[in-house]
């Protein structure tokens, strides 16, 4: 029902791009979106949008779409794609999280065109270049792995997403539902405790950190019970999944729950209509 409610009135750019992002979040829709005539060019045009949340949301949609290997070549060769991503990375007005996200999408698409031998060198070179654009104030991101007690269905996952989205400094996250884990990418100046506080605020879940011991074994480390002050996000940058997460296979069954391919298809044509009216006439 939610999908159609925004469609009754004339949709604005943010609601269209958010719908595309939500559709792209479902692995079952990713091929169809990239095959569609209007959606990819539309997303590329959204990267130049004056409203920062629109740009961030478009990047997230692209980040999801790029997770499907079969999409990468078409995405990379789409007119304006790589150039627009570079523009976002180089623009002085682009927020830090958005720059990191743009460079991540750029790296994935760029590396898809290279042989495995050249791959790492090229990606590392791009990364250094991206870091240069990001400037010294934007320290590197770090990854925190959380084990979340109570993360056992999609409604709990949604609660968890909402809690994490409110924290300033969260760049991305991906869920490994089968093992009750969440892999979170955060700015290096954000304390991991802030994530635990946010998850505890749901009242139904509790997080522990997964760390490796010197012998390489995984251990669960509880966070201190004292809640830390969490800086709230004013413009809520969104989340994105990591590429090829280790339990991707186990996750496939989980991500199928709640898919609506037929609803997605009809919505896609509406979105493509909107995009063509907005941009091409």
């Amino acid at each position: 029902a939610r999908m159609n409610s925004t469609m009754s009135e004339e949709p604005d750019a943010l609601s269209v791009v958010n719908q595309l992002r939500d559709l792209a979040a479902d692995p079952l829709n990713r091929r169809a979106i990239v095959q569609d005539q209007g959606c990819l060019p539309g997303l590329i045009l959204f990267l130049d949008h004056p409203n920062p949340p629109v740009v961030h949301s478009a990047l997230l949609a692209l980040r999801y779409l790029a997770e499907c290997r079969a999409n990468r070549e078409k995405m990379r060769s789409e007119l304006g794609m790589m150039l627009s991503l570079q523009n976002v990375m180089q623009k002085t007005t682009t927020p830090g999280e958005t720059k990191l996200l743009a460079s991540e999408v750029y790296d994935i698409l760029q590396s898809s065109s290279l042989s495995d031998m050249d791959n790492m060198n090229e990606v590392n070179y791009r990364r250094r270049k991206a870091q240069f654009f990001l400037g010294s104030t934007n320290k590197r991101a770090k990854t925190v792995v959380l084990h979340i007690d109570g993360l056992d269905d999609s409604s709990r996952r949604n609660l968890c997403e909402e809690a994490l989205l409110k924290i300033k400094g969260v760049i991305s996250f991906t869920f490994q539902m089968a093992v009750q884990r969440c892999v979170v990418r955060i700015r290096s100046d954000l304390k991991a405790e802030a994530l635990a506080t946010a998850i505890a605020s749901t009242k139904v879940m509790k997080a522990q950190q997964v760390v490796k011991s010197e012998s390489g074994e995984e251990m669960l480390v509880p966070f201190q019970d004292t809640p830390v002050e969490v800086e709230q996000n004013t413009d809520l940058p969104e989340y994105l999944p990591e590429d090829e997460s280790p339990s991707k296979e186990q996750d496939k069954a989980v991500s199928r729950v709640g898919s609506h391919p037929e609803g997605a298809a009809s919505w896609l044509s509406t979105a493509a209509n909107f995009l063509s009216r907005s941009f091409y006439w």
Side-chain angles (χ1 to χ4, degrees), residues 28-91:
L28 297 182
N29 296 330
R30 288 173 189 163
R31 295 289 289 275
I33 293 173
V34 167
Q35 297 309 317
D36 184 271
Q37 294 304 300
C39 288
L40 219 47
L43 283 170
I44 293 170
L45 288 163
F46 278 139
L47 294 179
D48 289 329
H49 201 278
N51 187 9
V54 170
V55 176
H56 201 98
S57 199
L59 280 169
L60 274 168
L62 292 170
R63 179 65 181 76
Y64 279 129
L65 297 174
E67 219 176 83
C68 170
R69 283 179 185 282
N71 282 341
R72 292 177 191 172
E73 190 49 51
K74 183 170 183 349
M75 289 176 71
R76 192 179 60 80
S77 54
E78 188 74 34
L79 186 68
M81 173 72 79
M82 302 309 269
L83 204 60
S84 296
L85 288 170
Q86 279 179 316
N87 285 343
V88 175
M89 283 149 65
Q90 292 169 31
K91 234 186 229 165

Side-chain angles (χ1 to χ4, degrees), residues 263-276:
S266 66
W267 196 85
L268 267 180
S269 60
T270 315
N273 257 335
F274 170 82
L275 293 171
S276 60

